[in-house]
Amino acid sequence: MQLFVCGGNDRRSVVLNVQAGENIGEVLNKYQLKEGFPPDALRVTFQGKLLDHDKTLDSYGIKHGDSLNAIVTNKKRFRVPRDFYFPSSGGREGVELTISESSPENRYRLSLAINRGLKEMVQIVGADGAEPRAGLFDIKSHDKVFQVAEYSFSDLKPEFEGEHSTVVSILSSVDMSSASSVHERQTALIGDAGRREAKYLNARAQLRKARQTILHMERTISARGRTIDEQQRATQELTNTIDMKDGIIQERDAAILSIQADNTRLGQQNATLEAERLRGDRLVC
């Protein structure tokens, strides 16, 4: 049977398929899958009566088409289910991501994009406070995407400044505290209306990447230039040191040669004197 559960942040009704023998807690588990509110963060009433989470629907006489009223009592416990966010690399660009079978919502949306012939897609990958954070992806296969870029909403808006943007319009209308709102906007972002904008964002991201690459190359070239200059200075200092040492060595070699010449001359003089002494040409005192 079907029940209407009214509550959450926007007080709208959500239709749930349930069984009469299910307890209130089980019904709220199904409500959580659609709206993201955990059962222990809700107080539920039927016809003004507070319901016990452990009791069944039929014990309260709740029938097909009845409405329950869910009141959020602990908003701090609220968290949009992970499946409603598309996989994110955490801000790191140029990363291939695999969408696992445990993320049926994300696999469904990727399949929907592929069936529509999209090569790029924009999806909500998280939140910065109350604002969505969007990821731009290249579609690689039925379960793989390549994250080209990631934008906060405040970063994304200037990309389309001065013109109407379907992507910005969809993201500006999402209620990040409502899982159903996130789900609806995720699906809307895959529509054909965003095809041109996704291509534009992809081109801008590639241009930004190219600029970053050029800037990195310029910095690398500049750093290498400084390194070469430092090496040349070091080489020149080493050359100067070698030249100075060569000069010292030459001076020492010249001094050694001079000493050797003096020694040779003195030796010759001594030999001459000794020869004269032996001949008796000189008086020896």
Side-chain angles (χ1 to χ4, degrees):
M1 67 181 187
Q2 289 186 334
L3 283 183
F4 297 93
V5 180
C6 177
N9 292 325
D10 49 13
R11 309 302 301 166
R12 64 189 182 82
S13 293
V14 174
V15 179
L16 299 178
N17 292 315
V18 298
Q19 300 295 324
E22 291 181 325
N23 61 36
I24 303 301
E26 291 172 323
V27 173
L28 292 181
N29 284 334
K30 294 181 177 181
Y31 182 67
Q32 180 185 14
L33 292 177
K34 286 200 170 186
E35 292 295 291
F37 292 100
D40 56 358
L42 297 171
R43 183 164 57 89
V44 189
T45 62
F46 174 63
Q47 295 179 348
K49 182 178 181 179
L50 182 64
L51 305 184
D52 188 333
H53 289 196
D54 294 327
K55 291 187 177 181
T56 61
L57 294 171
D58 53 7
S59 69
Y60 286 112
I62 299 173
K63 303 180 295 297
H64 173 78
D66 284 342
S67 295
L68 304 183
N69 187 38
I71 303 170
V72 181
T73 59
N74 187 355
K75 291 187 177 181
K76 291 182 178 180
R77 293 298 308 279
F78 169 75
R79 180 174 61 86
V80 173
R82 183 175 296 177
D83 276 359
F84 286 82
Y85 290 141
F86 211 67
S88 169
S89 63
R92 293 182 297 117
E93 299 177 0
V95 177
E96 186 170 273
L97 302 169
T98 299
I99 303 174
S100 67
E101 293 184 1
S102 62
S103 300
E105 285 284 349
N106 291 325
R107 290 176 73 93
Y108 163 75
R109 285 192 286 270
L110 178 57
S111 176
L112 182 62
I114 291 174
N115 290 338
R116 293 188 178 185
L118 299 182
K119 301 298 183 183
E120 302 92 4
M121 64 189 298
V122 177
Q123 287 285 273
I124 300 171
V125 297
D128 292 326
E131 287 191 340
R133 191 169 67 252
L136 172 67
F137 301 90
D138 283 341
I139 298 173
K140 296 300 181 183
S141 68
H142 71 283
D143 64 347
K144 291 186 184 298
V145 293
F146 183 83
Q147 184 164 340
V148 179
E150 192 166 316
Y151 304 89
S152 67
F153 186 61
S154 56
D155 290 336
L156 186 62
K157 285 193 296 183
E159 295 286 347
F160 298 99
E161 191 171 2
E163 62 178 283
H164 173 72
S165 166
T166 304
V167 170
V168 171
S169 177
I170 291 172
L171 292 177
S172 63
S173 63
V174 65
D175 179 2
M176 296 306 294
S177 65
S178 168
S180 61
S181 177
V182 174
H183 169 75
E184 291 170 359
R185 302 312 186 276
Q186 291 277 51
T187 304
L189 284 167
I190 302 174
D192 291 338
R195 187 192 300 261
R196 178 185 63 83
E197 295 173 52
K199 288 184 178 295
Y200 167 78
L201 286 174
N202 203 335
R204 287 295 299 269
Q206 295 299 331
L207 179 60
R208 182 177 61 181
K209 183 179 179 180
R211 287 174 175 169
Q212 290 174 343
T213 300
I214 292 172
L215 181 60
H216 175 71
M217 292 175 63
E218 289 176 344
R219 288 175 177 170
T220 301
I221 291 171
S222 178
R224 288 180 178 176
R226 289 194 297 271
T227 300
I228 291 172
D229 289 342
E230 291 173 359
Q231 289 176 342
Q232 287 178 339
R233 284 194 295 270
T235 301
Q236 186 60 51
E237 290 176 0
L238 181 60
T239 300
N240 293 339
T241 301
I242 292 172
D243 289 344
M244 181 180 68
K245 289 182 177 180
D246 285 345
I248 294 172
I249 291 171
Q250 289 174 358
E251 290 176 359
R252 287 179 179 176
D253 288 345
I256 290 171
L257 290 174
S258 176
I259 292 171
Q260 288 176 342
D262 289 342
N263 288 338
T264 300
R265 180 173 54 78
L266 291 174
Q268 291 174 347
Q269 288 178 352
N270 288 336
T272 301
L273 291 174
E274 182 63 18
E276 290 176 351
R277 186 183 69 80
L278 292 174
R279 290 197 307 267
D281 294 340
R282 289 172 60 96
L283 291 177
V284 179
C285 298

